[in-house]
Amino acid sequence: MEATQVLVVSDRDEVCEVVTTAAAALGHEATVCEPEAVAGHWRTASTVFIGVDSAAEMAALELPRREQVYLVGADTGAAALWSVPLGAEVIVLPQGRNWLSSVLAGQLGGPGEVVAVLGGSGGVGASTLAAALAWRAADRGRPVALVDADRFGGGIDLLLGAERVPGWRWPRFATADGVLGDLREFLPVVDGVTVLSMARGPDPDLGREPTAAVLGSLQRVFDLIVVDPGRSGLPACREALRQAARTLLVVGGSVRGVAAAAQLVRVLAPQSADVVVRGLPRVRVPDDVVEDSLGLPVRARLRHDPTLPVAAERGERPALSRCRGGLGRACDLLLEAS
């Protein structure tokens, strides 16, 4: 059976029209079907939209849980009632039309892989690893973008020494939603990496809609999008983690560092997550203890390197050492897994 990308299960014209129109704007056709015909498409569809009118029938089918399922309709009470049994997020119409377009832009926007680099606690070097991954990918000739979604991080352009490089920062996209065009001509480029950073000054108060819209646009033109989501748990952070095909969880290699990361995993629940252990002087928690505590595999270790914070303070590109435990070697291992 041919794979279905967008599946709509509803008898309501409004629901079917808004989904099929949004999909068509991205060059895709949505398949509309009755609940009894869903089983053949359930596993193959990239995204499933269920009208609130069909929610009870879908729940009765007891289909296996899957990601990218959305309840769509105007009845917020019924949507809230059925969202948990169906494992679905809720899109309220008509207010959520642009949000629905943003969802599809992220799912159908392009082949670019979104990788989130999440710090298990403060000061473990998640932003440094995100920048290093982007630089390493660019050195290999991959079109790559680095996205800063951390409202409280001070702007990743400072880490890159690019605070004076002209180009748009997040405040220009704070009200974006739906499907955006090619953003490359507007964004700064640093050492071959296109960068979207936060800015010092007024807080853009990013929501999930602009985050989804921007990431969807970048996926259409970049092979790799590295995101620094921060640890706030605010909508932009959660949307960046939801869009990520992989999450790299950077964990401080101490008992407290692992404990903090375990709590973060419980709160944010990143999907498809791997662990990168950041070494600390005179302290080492074995990999099997880290894995047992977090329920996640350790993919790389970074040795303690006192030159990295110095380079970050100066806005200099760190040395990507390929020795065992070096930043460059870790980036190579992580990129090979992409």
Side-chain angles (χ1 to χ4, degrees):
M1 177 180 295
E2 184 178 352
T4 300
Q5 289 198 288
V6 182
L7 183 65
V8 191
V9 187
S10 178
D11 287 327
R12 296 289 177 87
D13 290 342
E14 180 188 19
V15 172
C16 295
E17 179 183 358
V18 71
V19 177
T20 55
T21 300
L26 291 165
H28 295 272
E29 183 176 349
T31 298
V32 180
C33 70
E34 300 292 329
E36 57 268 22
V38 165
H41 302 285
W42 184 250
R43 293 186 182 277
T44 60
S46 65
T47 315
V48 179
F49 296 95
I50 302 171
V52 174
D53 58 289
S54 300
E57 293 176 81
M58 288 294 296
L61 294 175
E62 296 184 341
L63 294 167
R65 288 294 183 104
R66 53 154 293 160
E67 297 176 352
Q68 308 304 334
V69 178
Y70 299 87
L71 266 173
V72 185
D75 189 338
T76 56
L81 175 67
W82 292 110
S83 64
V84 174
L86 291 169
E89 294 189 59
V90 174
I91 299 177
V92 179
L93 296 179
Q95 305 96 304
R97 294 177 71 99
N98 285 336
W99 165 233
L100 189 147
S101 295
S102 296
V103 166
L104 281 176
Q107 294 302 307
L108 304 177
E113 179 188 20
V114 178
V115 175
V117 183
L118 176 65
S121 59
V124 293
S127 297
T128 298
L129 178 59
L133 274 174
W135 274 323
R136 197 61 148 188
D139 288 344
R140 292 181 170 191
R142 296 177 68 177
V144 58
L146 176 63
V147 178
D148 174 14
D150 183 2
R151 283 172 59 187
F152 306 123
I156 206 167
D157 55 355
L158 288 172
L159 175 68
L160 309 178
E163 62 270 21
R164 291 185 174 84
V165 176
W168 290 6
R169 270 64 172 176
W170 263 116
R172 298 294 295 265
F173 299 101
T175 59
D177 57 22
V179 180
L180 302 180
D182 189 345
L183 304 179
R184 285 176 292 184
E185 65 177 294
F186 306 109
L187 299 177
V189 178
V190 182
D191 290 340
V193 176
T194 297
V195 180
L196 176 55
S197 177
M198 291 292 176
R200 276 69 58 197
D203 186 352
D205 191 22
L206 289 182
R208 63 180 187 177
E209 291 86 355
T211 306
V214 167
L215 291 178
S217 172
L218 296 176
Q219 283 181 278
R220 292 193 288 275
V221 294
F222 291 98
D223 180 55
L224 176 67
I225 303 94
V226 182
V227 184
D228 180 359
R231 297 179 292 113
S232 67
L234 293 171
C237 167
R238 291 185 177 274
E239 180 60 22
L241 292 172
R242 192 185 70 81
Q243 294 277 356
R246 296 176 65 208
T247 297
L248 303 176
L249 179 66
V250 187
V251 177
S254 66
V255 172
R256 287 192 65 192
V258 174
Q263 181 63 20
L264 189 75
V265 168
R266 282 190 286 271
V267 173
L268 296 183
Q271 57 187 350
S272 302
D274 294 329
V275 175
V276 179
V277 180
R278 170 74 180 276
L280 299 173
R282 300 180 297 279
V283 177
R284 182 181 177 90
V285 178
D287 286 357
D288 59 341
V289 174
V290 176
E291 292 178 338
D292 289 344
S293 300
L294 301 179
L296 299 170
V298 173
R299 295 298 182 199
R301 271 190 172 267
L302 286 170
R303 59 177 171 79
H304 175 65
D305 185 348
T307 69
L308 294 180
V310 175
E313 282 297 309
R314 294 175 176 173
E316 297 175 351
R317 179 171 173 170
L320 298 182
S321 169
R322 298 199 75 254
C323 66
R324 183 175 181 180
L327 183 58
R329 176 59 178 160
C331 289
D332 288 341
L333 290 172
L334 296 170
L335 289 171
E336 286 165 6
S338 295

